[in-house]
Amino acid sequence: MARNGLRADSQNLRGTSENLSERESSSIGSDSEINGFTTEKQTDKYGFIGGAQQHTEESAQDVPPEVVRQREVKWLDMLNSWDKWMAKRHKKLCSENHYKHKTLNASENHQVQQIRAQDVPPEVVREREVKWLDMLNSWDKWMAKRHKKIKLRCQKGIPPSLRGRAWLYLSGGKVKLEQNHGKFQELDSKPGDPKWLDVIEKDLHRQFPFHEMFVSRGGHGQQDLYRVLKAYTLYRPEEGYCQAQAPIAAVLLMHMPAEEAFWGLVQICEKYLPGYYSAGLEAIQLDGEILFALLRRISTVAYKHLKKHKIDPVLYMTEWFMCAFSRTLPWASVLRVWDMFFCEGVKIIFRVGLVLLKNMLGSSDKLKVCQGLYETMELLRTVEPRYMQEGFLMREIIELQVSERDIEKEHLVQLKRWKETHGELRCKSPPRMHGARAIMIADPPTHKDLLQAPTIIVEPPLEDASSKQKKKGKNKREPPSNPTTETLSPAHPPSPTLQKDTPLQQSNQSLSSSSTEQDTYL
C-alpha cells in the first residue's frame, strides 16, 4: 500500500455503518444551524442526522446466499410449469418461502433477544457515573491499586457523559496536556506545511458526513478537525499526515475539545499504535502478519482458507486497524471497543479482527459462498451485521484468549522474518504500550497533572474602593452580641454591599468550589 494512500470506496466514505437508536432532537446551535444547513431530520443520541441504519431483527436475519440460490432454482422450476403448479400445488406456492423464513427466525431469536437486552437502564447509568467520578477524582490511586476494577468497568462501558474525560485519563493525554501547557495553541498559530494542508482539506468532508458536527463544510467540527490534524503535522513533521488519522481525530472531537483531542491523537499514534501512520506503513504490515499467525490458533479453517487463496492480511485488515474499526462497526460497538482499547491496548483491536474472521470464515458451510479471492474479499468488506452487534461482539472479545504476551511473542517472530526478507525497518517506532497501566508506569504523573480544571469559572462581583472602606468601618463598629437584638435607625438603612452570602455570591462560591467535582465535557 502506498504512503498516505488509504482509500475508501463510496460506501466507506460515509464514515461508518452506524448502528444507532433513540432519535433525539438536534441541539440548538449545532453546526448544521450555525452554518445555514437546515433539515427536518432529527439527530439520534450520538449526533447523527436522521439516525443511522439500525440493525434490527430483520437485518440481523438476512437469508444466507446458498438459501437464496436454492429458492431461485425452485422458482425457476415452478415458473416453467406454472399452469400445473397453480392447478395441483398451489399450497406449496404459498408456503415455499414462509417455512424457510420461519426456521431462520427461530434459530436466531435468542441471539436477537440478547442484543436487544444491551440497553442500560437510566438508573444504572447514574450509578456508573458516580463510580467513574470517584475514580477520576483519585485516578492515580485507582490505577495503582485497583486497575482490575477499572478494566472491568471499561468492559461494561463508560458512561456517555464521562467518556471523553475517561479516554483522556486512560490514554495519558491528560498528563501530556498538563505537562505541555500552551503547546497546542503554539502549533495552532503556525501556518503549517502546504503539502499536508492541501491533503487534510480534501479529507475533511469525508469524515462522518452525517454527524451534526461535520455535516457543514467549514463548520465548527471541520474547523477543529483541521486544527488538530494540522497541529499534529507540526508536532511530528517527520511523520506528517496519514488519511487514517482523520477518522481517529474525528471520533475524539465528538467527545472532547480540540486541544484534548490533539493530545489523545498523539497518545494513540505514539503509545497505542506506534508506526502505523509512518512512511511505508511497515508497522501495519507487521501487525497484519501477527494477526494472521494468531488466526491459526483461533480458527484453523479461516486460516487455511486465507492461505489457500493467498490473501495478504493488508488487503482486509488495514482499514480495520489503522482506523481502530471506527469506519467498520456500528456506532454503539465502536464506542464500546474504544472504551476497552484505551484501557487494555492494541490487543482489543486484534481480538475484534480475530472475532470477525472466525465468524465470517470459521466453518465449511460459510466457505461455500466464497470459493475464490474475489468472493472472500467481498465477504470481508461487508461483514454480516449480527457479528458486529454490540452485545455479541463484546462477549466474544472478552472471552477470546489473546494476551499482550501472545502479541509480543508473535511480534518478535514476525520481526525476525521481516529482517530476513526485507532487511532492517526503515522507520524506527517507539515501543508499543499495552494499555493505560503500561502508559502510566512509563510516564508516571503527579497528582497535580490529574486534577480536573473547571471549564466554567464565574468571577465574584467587583467592589469599588468606597464600598470596601464602608464595609471595613461597619465591621469595626459591630458589637459581638446577637444581631437579632440590634436596632437600626430608619434613617440609615443597611447597604446592599454589606449583606453577606447573597444568592449571587452563594452561586459563585458553589460553582468555584464544586466545579472540580462536577465538571464534565458533554
Side-chain angles (χ1 to χ4, degrees):
M1 171 177 260
R3 162 72 174 139
N4 298 326
L6 187 64
R7 293 288 184 263
D9 56 27
S10 58
Q11 181 180 0
N12 286 336
L13 288 179
R14 296 186 60 182
T16 182
S17 57
E18 302 91 348
N19 175 23
L20 308 168
S21 59
E22 299 182 22
R23 299 183 177 184
E24 298 176 359
S25 300
S26 175
S27 58
I28 297 176
S30 65
D31 278 339
S32 59
E33 295 168 341
I34 293 173
N35 295 282
F37 183 90
T38 58
T39 178
E40 295 180 358
K41 294 182 179 180
Q42 296 179 330
T43 59
D44 56 30
K45 64 180 180 180
Y46 299 112
F48 287 89
I49 293 176
Q53 69 183 57
Q54 301 180 27
H55 300 306
T56 56
E57 182 174 350
E58 288 74 23
S59 62
Q61 299 176 10
D62 293 334
V63 181
E66 60 271 19
V67 177
V68 176
R69 300 290 91 78
Q70 293 173 4
R71 293 179 182 178
E72 287 174 343
V73 172
K74 292 179 180 179
W75 271 95
L76 284 172
D77 176 59
M78 289 193 296
L79 292 170
N80 290 331
S81 306
W82 188 249
D83 52 346
K84 296 179 180 179
W85 276 85
M86 286 295 291
K88 300 180 180 180
R89 305 191 65 183
H90 180 262
K91 289 185 178 181
K92 185 67 175 177
L93 276 173
C94 297
S95 63
E96 178 61 32
N97 282 337
H98 175 73
Y99 175 76
K100 297 280 185 179
H101 187 63
K102 183 176 180 181
T103 305
L104 189 64
N105 285 348
S107 65
E108 296 183 356
N109 184 50
H110 177 65
Q111 180 181 344
V112 172
Q113 289 179 349
Q114 285 183 321
I115 291 169
R116 288 178 171 177
Q118 290 300 311
D119 293 334
V120 182
E123 57 273 14
V124 177
V125 175
R126 299 290 88 79
E127 292 175 2
R128 292 181 180 178
E129 287 175 339
V130 172
K131 293 177 180 178
W132 271 94
L133 282 171
D134 176 57
M135 289 195 302
L136 293 169
N137 290 331
S138 305
W139 188 251
D140 49 348
K141 296 179 182 178
W142 276 84
M143 285 295 292
K145 298 179 180 180
R146 304 192 67 184
H147 176 260
K148 288 185 178 180
K149 192 67 174 179
I150 295 177
K151 176 181 172 181
L152 179 62
R153 289 177 179 174
C154 286
Q155 291 176 352
K156 291 181 178 179
I158 301 173
S161 61
L162 295 171
R163 180 168 272 127
R165 186 177 168 189
W167 284 359
L168 202 65
Y169 275 67
L170 287 164
S171 66
K174 168 67 174 173
V175 178
K176 275 280 191 180
L177 188 153
E178 295 299 331
Q179 293 176 352
N180 295 271
H181 269 301
K183 184 66 176 178
F184 175 72
Q185 288 75 12
E186 175 190 339
L187 298 171
D188 190 31
S189 63
K190 293 182 179 180
D193 190 334
K195 74 174 182 179
W196 297 126
L197 299 185
D198 183 53
V199 182
I200 291 172
E201 287 181 359
K202 292 178 180 178
D203 285 343
L204 293 179
H205 71 282
R206 299 173 180 172
Q207 313 311 321
F208 307 101
F210 296 103
H211 192 279
E212 63 176 353
M213 274 191 70
F214 307 105
V215 68
S216 302
R217 286 181 180 266
H220 290 295
Q222 290 193 12
Q223 289 179 22
D224 283 346
L225 182 58
Y226 176 83
R227 293 169 60 207
V228 170
L229 296 174
K230 183 196 78 171
Y232 187 83
T233 63
L234 294 169
Y235 185 75
R236 286 285 179 263
E238 71 282 358
E239 189 171 295
Y241 167 68
C242 180
Q243 286 179 314
Q245 290 173 317
I248 296 289
V251 175
L252 293 171
L253 281 169
M254 292 179 194
H255 296 86
M256 60 189 76
E259 183 178 16
E260 295 180 2
F262 168 74
W263 291 113
L265 177 64
V266 168
Q267 290 298 92
I268 290 175
C269 295
E270 293 185 354
K271 306 294 185 182
Y272 289 86
L273 307 174
Y276 268 36
Y277 312 103
S278 301
L281 303 177
E282 294 173 326
I284 195 70
Q285 293 180 61
L286 268 176
D287 277 1
E289 297 301 327
I290 294 172
L291 177 72
F292 190 56
L294 293 173
L295 181 64
R296 185 175 187 175
R297 175 164 64 88
I298 301 301
S299 176
T300 307
V301 174
Y303 172 83
K304 289 181 178 179
H305 178 79
L306 292 171
K307 187 175 182 179
K308 174 184 176 182
H309 296 289
K310 299 179 180 179
I311 302 176
D312 198 305
V314 295
L315 295 177
Y316 55 83
M317 56 77 65
T318 300
E319 186 177 87
W320 290 357
F321 277 51
M322 294 186 75
C323 300
F325 288 96
S326 61
R327 295 167 65 99
T328 305
L329 301 176
W331 196 246
S333 300
V334 170
L335 297 179
R336 293 290 300 279
V337 166
W338 278 47
D339 289 346
M340 298 169 64
F341 167 63
F342 277 116
C343 182
E344 302 180 52
V346 76
K347 74 176 181 183
I348 298 300
I349 303 298
F350 276 96
R351 287 184 184 182
V352 176
L354 291 169
V355 167
L356 296 182
L357 291 171
K358 181 184 73 172
N359 283 281
M360 294 294 288
L361 305 171
S363 68
S364 55
D365 292 337
K366 295 172 182 176
L367 295 180
K368 291 178 181 178
V369 296
C370 48
Q371 298 295 325
L373 185 148
Y374 175 78
E375 292 83 1
T376 303
M377 288 302 302
E378 282 299 308
L379 188 68
L380 294 177
R381 285 194 188 102
T382 55
V383 182
E384 289 188 49
R386 56 180 171 172
Y387 300 136
M388 300 188 292
Q389 287 289 348
E390 179 185 354
F392 173 81
L393 188 60
M394 292 307 106
R395 184 174 64 253
E396 290 286 309
I397 293 171
I398 294 171
E399 292 177 355
L400 192 63
Q401 298 300 314
V402 174
S403 65
E404 298 94 336
R405 182 176 296 180
D406 296 330
I407 295 172
E408 287 303 315
K409 181 180 178 181
E410 196 58 47
H411 176 79
L412 295 176
V413 174
Q414 298 302 329
L415 185 60
K416 183 179 179 181
R417 291 180 181 175
W418 179 279
K419 290 180 180 180
E420 292 173 354
T421 56
H422 299 84
E424 292 291 334
L425 293 172
R426 290 178 293 172
C427 181
K428 300 293 183 181
S429 304
R432 177 153 52 195
M433 299 292 173
H434 289 277
R437 190 173 188 180
I439 293 173
M440 194 168 189
I441 293 173
D443 189 13
T446 64
H447 184 69
K448 184 179 178 181
D449 293 335
L450 297 172
L451 292 177
Q452 176 71 8
T455 56
I456 302 175
I457 301 176
V458 180
E459 296 292 341
L462 298 177
E463 294 179 331
D464 55 24
S466 59
S467 298
K468 290 182 180 179
Q469 189 66 26
K470 289 179 182 179
K471 185 175 181 179
K472 184 177 180 181
K474 180 65 178 176
N475 289 339
K476 287 183 178 180
R477 292 193 297 270
E478 284 181 352
S481 59
N482 192 336
T484 57
T485 61
E486 181 180 355
T487 59
L488 298 176
S489 172
H492 301 282
S495 171
T497 59
L498 298 178
Q499 296 179 6
K500 299 180 180 180
D501 296 334
T502 63
L504 179 60
Q505 290 172 328
Q506 289 177 348
S507 176
N508 293 338
Q509 292 169 359
S510 175
L511 280 170
S512 60
S513 62
S514 64
S515 57
T516 302
E517 298 289 332
Q518 301 296 333
D519 177 68
T520 57
Y521 187 84
L522 299 178

